[in-house]
Amino acid sequence: MNHNANSHAFQSMIKESVDRFLNEYRKGRTDFSNFTCIFSRFLQKLPDPPLEIVWFYSALTFHSTKFTAQNSSTPVLMAKNLFQLLVSCSSSCNALKKIAVLAPVIYELNSLVSEGEKWRKETESLLEVIVSYLSICCGTYFEQEAEFGDLSCCFKDLVGVWMVERTGESCNLGEELSMFFPFVSDGIRKAMISEGCEVGHLAGIVMTEVFLLRLCLKFGPGVSRMELEKELRGWAIQTMTSFRNFHFIDVFLRMLLEPFLSVTTLLNSKDEVFLREVLYDVAIVEYSFLGSRKGIHLPEGSLKNLAITWLFVAHNGVQFLMECGKKTEVVSYVQAFSESSLLSRLFKWVMNQPGMQSETSKPEVSSPLSLIEWLLMIEDEGLRVFDNDISKMYAKAIISKSRKGYQLFVGKGEEKVDSDLAMVDSEEIILFGGILKTSATNGMKKRKEGMKDERNRQVKVVKCNIDENSVTEKGFPLDDEEALSSGSEVDNLSSDENIEPMEQ
């Protein structure tokens, strides 16, 4: 009760302070020492100050410095000073919060590079420093007790404090978030408005923005596509291995589920497509970078959901290459998928659920589409596979768009894989701009009458004979010490030995 009262008082204080600051700033006031003194004492007294206090104090200091410095400092130097200020103010915070507080720095750097080439080299140098700092934070994160607290509603108000110079009173929250998080998709921003945001998720957004900004700056004149592709892939794998953070991987994969990357302010459409292909390669073919020696610390119950997201990305990558007419690359994607342990891990998780029978015939799946079909069929039999209705609808949308089947090119020949779509609901499901819509009034499919009791249910299997070779696992890319085992190749899916549970 006391905690709730303190939390409410804290939010009220921040809200009142933000409103007063914005009102006085727009009236032309430049001295905010009365605010900075109060919040400086908070930073000194609190061992792990809330992100909102760090942000408000830093924003006040940053705006005041701009007024006093005027033309004596370059924009890059101002951004560098802001980075150092945020690092200093969050020095006593946990690792995730240290990363999350850096969002304003990325906003400032994106504004600089969007204006032209003048500050490009200095911006690249500062970004390298930030990447190293994030890597250090991610390294210490494994040694700490994870904290996944939700940010208060004041978090959204504070975005307006950072944006005060570039927005007017008529600017709404959606517009502010769009400018403040330039590399974030509309879907993620809308979720931040409707569902709120937690510190870990914001940290993942910051790491993804740094990642994409640095990759965009590697594009330039005089570099061949072959050299650029090698540079992009190598840096991406190295950086993602260094970050090895669940929240970063989750946001990164969700970005690849969007129709395009949110980098249009820096790259033209041709370069965006090129970058997207490289990132698909990294996520699908070069996925082993996700399995560090220590593994990735995963919040409870997140492993299966992260694997499902990776499955959707694998399907999108295959579709992307097919639309580009790159037959050879399609083969490499399908082969990488087949050789991953994703198939066996998801299957093992299904088979270890209460009521499942080990004697059930094993699925022969060698493509993301066929596995999605099988998982939907399993869910229709009563097992909760997808974490929420949106995830399930996304899976159904994939199947709906594949009603006519798609062409997979295997070896020297071509083999068409026709989808068994009996499990797809009759309502129209379309994917529009990353947002799922349905024309049905009730999106949940009614259970078949007379379905067997869950304890005795049998699983219908979709067979997709693309590759007759046995599926082996070569180190799941999302290793977790308790949920997964690493090591050499194991038996194919026809064996039930050594089945380990996957977190739900």
Side-chain angles (χ1 to χ4, degrees):
M1 188 70 176
N2 187 43
H3 172 76
N4 292 335
N6 290 337
S7 177
H8 179 72
F10 158 72
Q11 292 187 36
S12 298
M13 179 196 67
I14 292 287
K15 175 66 175 174
E16 181 181 349
S17 299
V18 167
D19 290 342
R20 287 181 57 192
F21 165 79
L22 293 176
N23 184 51
E24 294 179 13
Y25 186 95
R26 286 164 180 156
K27 289 181 179 179
R29 181 176 176 178
T30 59
D31 181 11
F32 303 104
S33 56
N34 58 331
F35 285 114
T36 54
C37 288
I38 295 173
F39 283 88
S40 176
R41 288 197 293 269
F42 276 119
L43 288 177
Q44 294 172 2
K45 291 181 178 179
L46 297 174
D48 185 13
L51 179 142
E52 294 87 346
I53 289 181
V54 174
W55 264 16
F56 192 55
Y57 173 79
S58 301
L60 293 171
T61 305
F62 183 64
H63 289 309
S64 298
T65 302
K66 277 189 173 182
F67 287 125
T68 56
Q70 294 183 354
N71 297 326
S72 62
S73 298
T74 67
V76 175
L77 181 58
M78 293 291 292
K80 182 178 181 181
N81 291 338
L82 175 59
F83 169 64
Q84 294 173 341
L85 173 65
L86 289 167
V87 169
S88 175
C89 290
S90 60
S91 60
S92 62
C93 297
N94 63 68
L96 287 177
K97 197 179 297 181
K98 286 180 179 179
I99 297 173
V101 299
L102 297 183
V105 179
I106 313 309
Y107 161 68
E108 291 293 333
L109 291 180
N110 177 69
S111 299
L112 289 179
V113 298
S114 297
E115 295 174 0
E117 297 288 323
K118 185 175 182 180
W119 311 109
R120 188 184 186 96
K121 289 185 178 179
E122 293 174 84
T123 301
E124 289 179 340
S125 298
L126 179 54
L127 270 175
E128 291 294 350
V129 173
I130 294 175
V131 169
S132 298
Y133 176 75
L134 297 183
S135 299
I136 293 173
C137 290
C138 289
T140 60
Y141 169 70
F142 291 103
E143 302 169 4
Q144 298 179 351
E145 190 69 27
E147 181 176 316
F148 306 106
D150 290 335
L151 295 169
S152 70
C153 59
C154 302
F155 156 73
K156 301 169 186 176
D157 297 321
L158 286 165
V159 171
V161 174
W162 288 109
M163 301 287 299
V164 67
E165 288 186 342
R166 295 180 173 92
T167 61
E169 295 184 49
S170 60
C171 187
N172 60 45
L173 178 58
E175 294 170 332
E176 288 180 342
L177 290 177
S178 179
M179 290 184 282
F180 193 66
F181 296 104
F183 300 105
V184 174
S185 65
D186 287 338
I188 292 179
R189 283 194 291 262
K190 289 177 181 177
M192 293 172 71
I193 295 175
S194 61
E195 303 173 10
C197 186
E198 65 171 19
V199 172
H201 185 60
L202 180 57
I205 289 174
V206 169
M207 285 186 276
T208 303
E209 289 203 302
V210 170
F211 181 75
L212 289 176
L213 178 57
R214 187 65 189 95
L215 287 172
C216 287
L217 291 180
K218 290 185 178 294
F219 285 79
V223 181
S224 68
R225 285 299 195 192
M226 184 177 296
E227 293 175 348
L228 179 60
E229 181 180 359
K230 182 179 179 180
E231 172 69 13
L232 292 174
R233 179 180 285 104
W235 187 88
I237 294 174
Q238 177 185 356
T239 304
M240 296 182 83
T241 304
S242 178
F243 285 176
R244 63 185 186 277
N245 179 274
F246 159 76
H247 298 284
F248 165 64
I249 296 171
D250 182 56
V251 175
F252 167 69
L253 292 178
R254 292 183 185 278
M255 292 286 191
L256 289 179
L257 294 181
E258 298 291 334
F260 54 85
L261 297 173
S262 301
V263 295
T264 52
T265 57
L266 300 180
L267 300 181
N268 58 42
S269 58
K270 184 177 180 180
D271 288 342
E272 185 274 332
V273 171
F274 183 80
L275 176 58
R276 188 149 36 105
E277 182 176 350
V278 171
L279 294 182
Y280 276 135
D281 287 346
V282 170
I284 300 170
V285 180
E286 304 288 349
Y287 68 86
S288 59
F289 68 87
L290 295 174
S292 62
R293 285 187 302 172
K294 290 186 178 181
I296 299 172
H297 179 86
L298 296 173
E300 184 179 357
S302 63
L303 177 58
K304 174 180 66 70
N305 296 337
L306 198 61
I308 292 291
T309 305
W310 189 80
L311 170 61
F312 291 156
V313 170
H315 169 77
N316 282 10
V318 170
Q319 288 292 105
F320 173 78
L321 289 181
M322 287 167 54
E323 292 170 2
C324 294
K326 298 188 176 183
K327 302 179 182 180
T328 303
E329 287 83 353
V330 168
V331 174
S332 66
Y333 275 26
V334 174
Q335 182 177 353
F337 172 81
S338 298
E339 293 179 350
S340 76
S341 64
L342 178 63
L343 294 169
S344 58
R345 290 296 177 184
L346 286 178
F347 179 75
K348 289 176 180 178
W349 177 84
V350 170
M351 298 309 298
N352 276 277
Q353 299 308 299
M356 296 299 294
Q357 298 185 11
S358 59
E359 295 82 8
T360 301
S361 57
K362 311 304 185 295
E364 298 178 14
V365 292
S366 297
S367 73
L369 178 63
S370 58
L371 181 54
I372 292 171
E373 288 179 318
W374 184 72
L375 291 176
L376 278 170
M377 190 164 290
I378 293 299
E379 180 137 329
D380 269 354
E381 294 296 331
L383 177 63
R384 183 77 170 181
V385 176
F386 300 97
D387 60 323
N388 53 50
D389 292 339
I390 296 298
S391 180
K392 183 176 180 179
M393 289 174 65
Y394 192 96
K396 287 186 175 183
I398 288 175
I399 302 301
S400 180
K401 293 175 66 176
S402 306
R403 285 182 181 276
K404 296 180 181 180
Y406 62 66
Q407 201 79 9
L408 291 179
F409 302 90
V410 182
K412 297 181 180 180
E414 300 180 359
E415 180 175 348
K416 185 173 183 179
V417 181
D418 293 316
S419 301
D420 178 3
L421 300 173
M423 80 294 290
V424 181
D425 289 347
S426 59
E427 70 265 21
E428 179 185 3
I429 300 176
I430 58 175
L431 184 62
F432 179 74
I435 302 173
L436 287 168
K437 298 181 179 180
T438 176
S439 61
T441 57
N442 182 2
M444 296 300 294
K445 185 176 182 179
K446 296 180 179 179
R447 295 296 178 190
K448 297 178 181 180
E449 295 184 1
M451 184 172 61
K452 296 181 179 180
D453 185 89
E454 185 182 43
R455 291 170 297 178
N456 299 317
R457 71 176 180 267
Q458 296 291 326
V459 178
K460 181 179 179 181
V461 176
V462 177
K463 293 189 176 182
C464 181
N465 297 317
I466 297 176
D467 185 3
E468 297 301 330
N469 295 328
S470 61
V471 179
T472 59
E473 73 181 22
K474 298 182 178 180
F476 190 54
L478 312 173
D479 289 337
D480 182 79
E481 291 181 1
E482 295 183 359
L484 303 174
S485 61
S486 59
S488 60
E489 297 182 2
V490 298
D491 298 336
N492 60 39
L493 293 179
S494 62
S495 175
D496 289 323
E497 296 180 2
N498 300 319
I499 291 181
E500 301 172 13
M502 178 178 279
E503 296 177 69
Q504 188 170 359

